[in-house]
Amino acid sequence: IRRVTKSELHGGAEIEYSPFRGNAVGRVSQPSMQIILGRRGVGKSTLILMVIRQLLKRGDIPAWVDVEPFGKAQNIGAIISILREMFAELDVVIGDKGRKYLAWQKALKQLHGNSGTQGVGENYVNKLIEPMRRGLAEISRGLRKDIYVFLDDAHYIGVRLQPLLYDVIFRILKGN
């Protein structure tokens, strides 16, 4: 902790600055389902990015998806778009090492098979879950690495879609 002086601040007040207390980065980088809550501007996204940096150094496989661009989407196509972004992020980290894993390649192909998202329903999303789960399991076991997915600002997705989004992500990652 360090004191921030009046000359360092806009507004002239004196505050204590503490980036993250209590080993927050270490706790968030544990393989478990977690929710990071806090008011706007407290550093949730910064914490996630610090954790991702640490995971990459360890050789693990993180994906960061910014959900804010999806606004208050109310159609299931937004979930497909989020899944595509999630798998694209994972694919960048995995790189060429993923080419030899058939279930991973099948999951990528199936996810991008229907390039549109209009008129896509919950049944379509449910059909994607098992191939994606198998693809992630194959990669995680084959590379002996943990997989981490961070949905930043997930509350931006429409309220009706939030339970389905969280359920889909949980089912895909379960056991990986």
Side-chain angles (χ1 to χ4, degrees):
I1 297 176
R2 74 175 177 88
R3 286 228 176 264
V4 179
T5 65
K6 291 177 187 175
S7 63
E8 293 178 275
L9 290 174
H10 176 59
E14 190 171 290
I15 61 167
E16 280 190 32
Y17 170 72
S18 174
F20 297 105
R21 296 181 182 192
N23 191 25
V25 173
R27 283 196 315 271
V28 175
S29 65
Q30 297 304 307
S32 63
M33 191 73 77
Q34 300 183 40
I35 298 175
I36 302 169
L37 299 172
R39 281 181 268 154
R40 185 176 190 82
V42 297
K44 299 175 298 295
S45 298
T46 301
L47 175 62
I48 290 170
L49 294 174
M50 288 174 68
V51 169
I52 287 173
R53 218 172 303 143
Q54 180 178 350
L55 294 171
L56 288 169
K57 283 181 188 174
R58 275 191 341 211
D60 287 319
I61 305 167
W64 174 72
V65 179
D66 183 9
V67 180
E68 185 176 3
F70 299 99
K72 293 292 179 187
Q74 294 294 336
N75 65 22
I76 291 179
I79 292 176
I80 299 293
S81 296
I82 290 167
L83 292 174
R84 285 181 181 150
E85 191 168 329
M86 178 181 110
F87 269 69
E89 288 280 322
L90 292 169
D91 197 38
V92 166
V93 175
I94 293 164
D96 291 338
K97 295 176 278 191
R99 290 198 178 136
K100 68 180 181 180
Y101 297 101
L102 297 178
W104 172 249
Q105 293 301 320
K106 183 179 177 182
L108 289 174
K109 186 176 181 180
Q110 189 167 356
L111 185 58
H112 294 289
N114 179 2
S115 60
T117 58
Q118 298 292 50
V120 172
E122 197 170 330
N123 286 338
Y124 178 75
V125 173
N126 285 325
K127 287 179 186 175
L128 292 174
I129 290 171
E130 189 54 28
M132 288 190 288
R133 193 195 65 69
R134 268 183 286 181
L136 289 179
E138 180 184 57
I139 287 289
S140 182
R141 277 193 309 270
L143 298 178
R144 294 186 176 150
K145 300 293 179 189
D146 288 323
I147 295 172
Y148 296 81
V149 173
F150 298 91
L151 299 179
D152 197 6
D153 289 328
H155 63 281
Y156 276 100
I157 197 88
V159 174
R160 277 187 23 245
L161 283 184
Q162 287 177 14
L164 180 59
L165 172 64
Y166 302 143
D167 178 59
V168 166
I169 297 293
F170 179 76
R171 287 167 51 202
I172 291 169
L173 295 174
K174 189 176 179 181
N176 290 319

